[in-house]
Structures are given as structure tokens and as C-alpha cells.
């Protein structure tokens, strides 16, 4: 790959990032002007949903959100081991 190909790839990556930043900015500007709260704004929810790819049908991980959260908590460093205070009861 010569340097021009590398630079073209970088330009493409920058264009994607700029596009994503513009979309985020537009959403924030809408939220500032919208009389509805961000959570209640249909426009905002539709824009956010459009950015989330659909889950493949029949190919779930088999883990619910709460079980994934429990795994994340259990893999976190033990706070008692790093705490200088008395153990929690």
C-alpha cells in the first residue's frame, strides 16, 4: 500500500467520524429546542433507535441484560480488598 492509499483510508475514516459528530450535534441541538424531555421526544428516540443495529433473529446471546450486568459486577475488582475502612456487613 502506498502513502496515497493510506491517506485515502484516513480521509474516509475522518469523513465517517465527522458525519457521526454532526448527527450527534443535530440531536443535541434538537434536544435543546424541543419542549419535550429527551426521554419523551419521539424524534430523539427515533434517531437513537435508527443508530442501533437490530439484533439478529434467533442468534441471541442467551443472557439477559440483568445477568450480563451481574457478570460485569462480579468481574469488577473486589472493593473490600482495596478498601482501607472496615468490612461491610
Amino acid at each position: 500500500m502506498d502513502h496515497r492509499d493510506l491517506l485515502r483510508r484516513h480521509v474516509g475514516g475522518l469523513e465517517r467520524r465527522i458525519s457521526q459528530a454532526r448527527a450527534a450535534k443535530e440531536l443535541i441541538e434538537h434536544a435543546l429546542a424541543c419542549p419535550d424531555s429527551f426521554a419523551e421526544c419521539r424524534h430523539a428516540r427515533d434517531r437513537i433507535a435508527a443508530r442501533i443495529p437490530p439484533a439478529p433473529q434467533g442468534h441471541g446471546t442467551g443472557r439477559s441484560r440483568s445477568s450480563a450486568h451481574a457478570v460485569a459486577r462480579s468481574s469488577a475488582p473486589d472493593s473490600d480488598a482495596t478498601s482501607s475502612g472496615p468490612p461491610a456487613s
Side-chain angles (χ1 to χ4, degrees), residues 2-5 16 19-20 30 35 39 41 49-50 52 56-57 60 62 66-68 71 74 77-78 83 87:
D2 75 352
H3 73 283
R4 291 185 191 277
D5 291 332
R16 282 187 296 279
S19 175
Q20 292 169 344
H30 174 81
C41 175
I52 300 171
Q57 300 236 341
S66 59
S67 67
V71 169
S74 67
D78 185 27
S83 172

Side-chain angles (χ1 to χ4, degrees), residues 41-62:
C41 175
R42 185 76 194 157
H43 174 78
R45 289 189 300 165
D46 288 345
R47 296 276 304 269
I48 292 168
R51 310 247 338 142
I52 300 171
Q57 300 236 341
H59 295 95
T61 62

Side-chain angles (χ1 to χ4, degrees), residues 1-16:
M1 173 184 316
D2 75 352
H3 73 283
R4 291 185 191 277
D5 291 332
L6 179 63
L7 292 172
R8 283 185 191 99
R9 287 181 52 199
H10 282 295
V11 167
L14 286 170
E15 287 174 348
R16 282 187 296 279

Side-chain angles (χ1 to χ4, degrees), residues 7-38:
L7 292 172
R8 283 185 191 99
R9 287 181 52 199
H10 282 295
V11 167
L14 286 170
E15 287 174 348
R16 282 187 296 279
R17 290 173 53 199
I18 290 168
S19 175
Q20 292 169 344
R22 282 190 180 129
K25 180 179 177 271
E26 289 170 8
L27 183 59
I28 291 169
E29 288 172 338
H30 174 81
L32 287 169
C34 186
D36 295 328
S37 74
F38 193 73

